[in-house]
Amino acid sequence: MKGVILAGGAGAPLHPVTLAVPRQLLPVGDKPMIYYPLSVLMLAGVRDILVITTPADAPRFRHLLGDGARLGIHLRYAEQPEPRGIAHALVLGARHIATDPVALILGDTVLHGHTLHALLREHTRDLTGCVLFGHPVSDPQRYGIAETDARGRLVAIHEKPARPPGNRAITGLYLYDNQVVEIARELRPSDRGELEITDVNNVYVGRGEATLVDLGRGFAWLDTGSPDTLLQASQYIQTLQQRQGVRVACLEEVALRMGFIDADACHALGREMATSAYGQYVMATAREFGAA
């Protein structure tokens, strides 16, 4: 399976801070926002990942993440000069995806849950059609909302509905078989000139090939689209980490636990940041796995 992270856009709701810094590089807790979606793909076992961003921001992502080799993964980069819709990432990434299934995730997706790793591995194994993840929200008018029938089967997705058929929002993580590239290519742009991901998903729904996975209690999907929600997400991560003594979306730890790197390599990565609490945590974790 290939991975695609869409990390473009102007981040206008977060202006003026995003006039200088890409939204996906803003801190959530003690790490850049993009660490969270990248960790989700790594937890799913995805190691070949395309990061799509703007021409102006691409050097910043490359500086932060490099080619991924230090984490035992392979990162590539593509540029999207202007917003063209989420589904455009599938067209832009067609060569990267090639003949494989793909996990597409938005660069501002903060998703956390104790059983997330197992859930992802279950639904990426022998993937057919598409798998979408629903999470309850209190303001469904702001999201793509899943409509299900009496048996709980997905029958439609409504984008920002005035009268929502429920409160389960489709999160920013999408799993697709390889049909998705051709589906995205055949889409008609919306009135805004964008390729809408809801249109892609509804093609799968119409074919009876869409699965909705409910992320209920035990999972958190955090909004980071405004100054207030960004602060709330940071506070959630900070509280969780302080109380449990673990770090969410620690890429070095994820790479170690997934077997992408060994304990000594992990310890070396932590040592480069040894003056920070984050670096000390990475080194301590590596020592638990036998690092010298």
Side-chain angles (χ1 to χ4, degrees), residues 112 234-246 248:
H112 175 256
S234 290
Q235 290 172 334
Y236 172 88
I237 295 297
Q238 180 184 36
T239 300
L240 186 67
Q241 293 184 162
Q242 287 178 343
R243 293 195 175 189
Q244 296 189 353
V246 299
V248 180

Side-chain angles (χ1 to χ4, degrees), residues 3-215:
V4 175
I5 301 176
L6 182 55
L14 288 162
H15 283 177
V17 66
T18 46
L19 293 174
V21 180
R23 176 177 56 174
Q24 298 83 5
L25 294 183
L26 293 176
V28 177
D30 58 347
K31 58 193 73 70
M33 188 186 296
I34 198 169
Y35 273 39
Y36 295 88
L38 180 53
S39 72
V40 170
L41 295 185
M42 292 169 66
L43 285 170
V46 179
R47 301 177 72 168
D48 196 350
I49 298 167
L50 179 70
V51 179
I52 299 176
T53 186
T54 68
D57 295 334
R60 298 171 182 173
F61 287 97
R62 287 192 176 97
H63 178 74
L64 174 67
L65 300 172
D67 63 3
R70 288 152 55 92
L71 297 170
I73 61 176
H74 184 200
L75 294 177
R76 312 177 195 202
Y77 298 87
E79 297 177 0
Q80 188 184 53
E82 59 185 18
R84 297 281 302 278
I86 296 172
H88 183 251
L90 298 164
V91 177
L92 195 57
R95 185 174 179 181
H96 164 73
I97 298 167
T99 59
D100 293 314
V102 60
L104 170 64
I105 191 167
L106 305 187
D108 61 355
T109 297
V110 180
L111 185 61
H112 175 256
H114 178 66
T115 60
L116 182 60
H117 165 64
L119 187 70
L120 292 172
R121 295 311 297 266
E122 175 188 351
H123 289 286
T124 54
R125 190 182 303 117
D126 300 323
L127 175 65
T128 300
C130 82
V131 177
L132 308 173
F133 296 87
H135 192 277
V137 293
S138 60
D139 47 355
Q141 296 84 357
R142 296 180 53 218
Y143 302 95
I145 298 298
E147 179 184 355
T148 56
D149 63 17
R151 297 175 62 182
R153 294 176 301 187
L154 187 60
V155 297
I157 300 169
H158 304 270
E159 186 63 28
K160 298 180 180 179
R163 296 181 178 179
N167 71 336
R168 282 178 292 178
I170 303 299
T171 71
L173 171 64
Y174 315 88
L175 307 179
Y176 298 110
D177 63 16
N178 195 252
Q179 298 179 84
V180 75
V181 174
E182 193 59 33
I183 291 172
R185 282 175 170 158
E186 293 179 354
L187 287 183
R188 291 185 178 182
S190 67
D191 293 341
R192 299 181 298 173
E194 298 184 354
L195 301 183
E196 303 291 349
I197 200 67
T198 295
D199 292 340
V200 170
N201 295 336
N202 275 327
V203 169
Y204 279 101
V205 172
R207 295 176 177 178
E209 298 177 350
T211 299
L212 178 66
V213 178
D214 277 318
L215 299 176

Side-chain angles (χ1 to χ4, degrees), residues 205-230:
V205 172
R207 295 176 177 178
E209 298 177 350
T211 299
L212 178 66
V213 178
D214 277 318
L215 299 176
R217 293 185 179 184
F219 289 92
W221 175 49
L222 306 176
D223 190 356
T224 58
S226 71
D228 286 344
T229 56
L230 180 62

Side-chain angles (χ1 to χ4, degrees), residues 263-284:
D264 289 337
C266 183
H267 192 275
L269 293 175
R271 191 165 56 241
E272 294 176 6
M273 302 176 282
T275 56
S276 70
Y278 183 94
Q280 293 165 16
Y281 174 82
V282 172
M283 289 190 292

